Amino acid sequence: IDELARMLARRPADELADLLPERVAFAAQMFPVLRSVAAIAARPRPPEASDPQQQRALLFAAVRELFGALAARYRLVLVIDDLQWTDAESLALLRELLRGPDAPPILYIATLRPTEAAVVPINDVEKTVALAAHVYDLHLGALSPAAAAELVAKLASRMGVALSAAT
């Protein structure tokens, strides 16, 4: 969401006026970083719902509308690294984004490593990811030491960083 806020902040105000859904202020309640976008901060704060479940539903719907509006104009890729560390509320929001039949057309990429220390059960995470229309499950093993060294060297070269022999 932080990166989304940065992307929106770089867009012209007239573009955002047409792009932002009516209930975007509800999304800003859940993610205050969205208030760093002037077009969102200028919107009046919505009234608080008296029922927490109703408030949650409004917030989730607003985030879904925002992603839907963005996906209608741009190609979106949502990358979530280490999904096993998510919390129950974030997982519920992801479920809302993936819920069909009219889920926003977004390429979702998530990395997930099975661990017993996960915040929510891995089965819950896997069931949520399985809600997407097309799911490809790639099992990747560890890199060999030579492959890891090659990857580090390539990345360092792209960044203009010289590696010493001790590195």
Side-chain angles (χ1 to χ4, degrees):
I1 297 295
D2 291 353
E3 186 58 35
L4 174 63
R6 282 189 285 277
M7 185 275 291
L8 291 173
R10 291 189 302 263
R11 298 283 178 247
D14 58 330
E15 180 183 333
L16 291 179
D18 295 335
L19 177 69
L20 295 174
E22 187 68 32
R23 297 190 291 187
V24 72
F26 281 105
Q29 282 184 304
M30 178 181 267
F31 300 105
V33 69
L34 290 174
R35 289 191 200 113
S36 67
V37 178
I40 296 174
R43 302 255 176 123
R45 287 195 178 210
E48 294 279 331
S50 58
D51 175 30
Q53 286 301 100
Q54 180 187 14
Q55 182 73 16
R56 180 179 187 242
L58 289 169
L59 295 172
F60 283 14
V63 171
R64 184 178 167 107
E65 286 176 14
L66 176 58
F67 275 86
L70 291 168
R73 185 168 291 183
Y74 306 104
R75 291 183 182 179
L76 293 185
V77 178
L78 176 62
V79 179
I80 304 172
D81 192 26
D82 287 330
L83 190 56
Q84 73 276 3
W85 300 123
T86 193
D87 58 34
E89 282 300 300
S90 298
L91 195 58
L93 176 59
L94 182 59
R95 254 189 243 100
E96 178 62 20
L97 287 173
L98 295 174
R99 177 183 55 78
D102 56 349
I106 299 172
L107 173 60
Y108 298 95
I109 300 174
T111 64
L112 174 66
R113 288 179 278 155
T115 176
E116 292 180 19
V119 177
V120 294
I122 292 296
N123 282 348
D124 290 354
V125 175
E126 290 171 340
K127 287 177 191 172
T128 296
V129 171
L131 292 174
H134 303 285
V135 176
Y136 301 95
D137 192 2
L138 304 175
H139 294 272
L140 304 175
L143 292 175
S144 69
E150 181 182 348
L151 177 61
V152 168
K154 284 181 180 180
L155 293 174
S157 173
R158 287 184 191 166
M159 295 171 54
V161 174
L163 297 176
S164 66
T167 308

